[in-house]
Amino acid sequence: MSGSSDSAKEPEHKSFPIVVLISGSGSNLQAIIDSSSKPESSINIRAVISNNPNAYGLKRASRNAISCKVVNHRDYPDRDSYDAALKTEIDSYQPGLVVLAGFMRILTADFVNHYSGRLINIHPSLLPHYPGLNTHQRALDNGEKEAGATVHFVTPEVDGGPAIIQTHVPVYETDNSEDLACRVLKQEHLIYPRAIQWFSQGRLTIEDDKVLLDGKISPDQQVFSNES
Ligand code: GRF
């Protein structure tokens, strides 16, 4: 799939370049596209890259005239060579921020360190609780009353980097993991564009492994939703 965006034609105020990495549905990507198309946003999605040629998110990107690339992990013999190819592709767009939006790959430390401080991820749990997979079922199995999602800087430790923003949702006794996933995902779509906006405005700093917004830990970094 080839790109159709032409940076020369980008409106001048769309000045903050990002690259989004996906593997699947891309509903978070869609939320980022929708938010970046608002006139007040300075975000310029330079490219969407997927490891999965069938990712539905690629269609969302094409539909919005955003450059799409597939870097298929099956075409590479090992993780190191895949991550090196991915890095070359990403860097050709010179992003100020690399956004993992449902990118289902564990990344090498070399890759992560190359983007240190400008690589973020969204994870569907209240980190540091429930890193890894099957977060919703594990939360239900443990009888949690609250669940959520976290946008965080990526460090070599999987799902281990400092949190930028978290959203909290209730867990109901009748929930199954799909109910909970759906409730959390809706809130992911609110917090991810917000975190990207903050980053692009230079409002985030990291101090002692904590992310500060405008120089302090802000209540805006914790969002509570009662939506069912
Ligand atoms: C989201 O739940 C996100 O938290 C996780 O993967 C899922 C991606 O969903 N990392 P989508 O592809 O954005 O719809």
Side-chain angles (χ1 to χ4, degrees):
M1 209 174 293
S2 73
S4 46
S5 95
D6 177 347
S7 59
K9 287 184 197 148
E10 292 295 342
E12 228 164 69
H13 71 284
K14 296 284 180 197
S15 55
F16 192 84
I18 70 169
V19 167
V20 183
L21 270 55
I22 60 164
S23 296
S25 154
S27 69
N28 276 290
L29 166 67
Q30 187 66 57
I32 297 164
I33 292 172
D34 293 345
S35 140
S36 69
S37 56
K38 291 184 183 154
E40 67 271 22
S41 171
S42 61
I43 303 299
N44 175 357
I45 307 176
R46 297 292 308 275
V48 170
I49 302 176
S50 174
N51 65 311
N52 168 13
N54 301 315
Y56 182 69
L58 291 168
K59 293 200 171 64
R60 299 182 192 267
S62 302
R63 228 188 262 147
N64 286 276
I66 297 168
S67 293
C68 295
K69 279 278 156 59
V70 173
V71 185
N72 190 337
H73 58 280
R74 293 180 199 281
D75 295 340
Y76 296 85
D78 52 36
R79 209 172 275 285
D80 285 337
S81 57
Y82 179 75
D83 280 10
L86 186 60
K87 192 166 77 175
T88 302
E89 190 60 44
I90 294 170
D91 286 351
S92 71
Y93 296 99
Q94 301 188 295
L97 180 68
V98 179
V99 175
L100 306 178
F103 187 64
M104 302 304 283
R105 297 266 315 162
I106 290 176
L107 295 160
T108 56
D110 268 2
F111 180 96
V112 171
N113 290 332
H114 177 72
Y115 296 106
S116 179
R118 55 189 181 108
L119 177 63
I120 64 175
N121 181 43
I122 190 159
H123 181 75
S125 80
L126 292 170
L127 291 173
H129 304 293
Y130 305 108
L133 299 175
N134 301 321
T135 54
H136 303 303
Q137 191 55 55
R138 284 154 62 210
L140 289 173
D141 292 346
N142 283 343
E144 301 288 357
K145 296 280 175 271
E146 186 186 59
T150 306
V151 178
H152 63 95
F153 282 104
V154 177
T155 58
E157 188 198 342
V158 176
D159 300 327
I164 299 167
I165 184 170
Q166 291 190 306
T167 181
H168 302 245
V169 304
V171 179
Y172 298 115
E173 275 177 15
T174 52
D175 279 345
N176 60 31
S177 65
E178 286 78 32
D179 298 328
L180 187 53
C182 191
R183 189 175 310 124
V184 169
L185 192 59
K186 239 165 119 183
Q187 300 306 314
E188 292 183 34
H189 300 159
L190 293 181
I191 63 168
Y192 217 179
R194 199 172 295 178
I196 294 168
Q197 192 67 18
W198 288 344
F199 186 95
S200 72
Q201 294 167 333
R203 296 173 64 188
L204 300 176
T205 46
I206 305 177
E207 226 173 80
D208 296 334
D209 258 358
K210 298 260 178 295
V211 178
L212 309 182
L213 172 64
D214 301 329
K216 58 179 193 306
I217 292 176
S218 163
D220 292 350
Q221 291 170 275
Q222 300 296 328
V223 176
F224 295 85
S225 163
N226 284 321
E227 273 184 51
S228 50

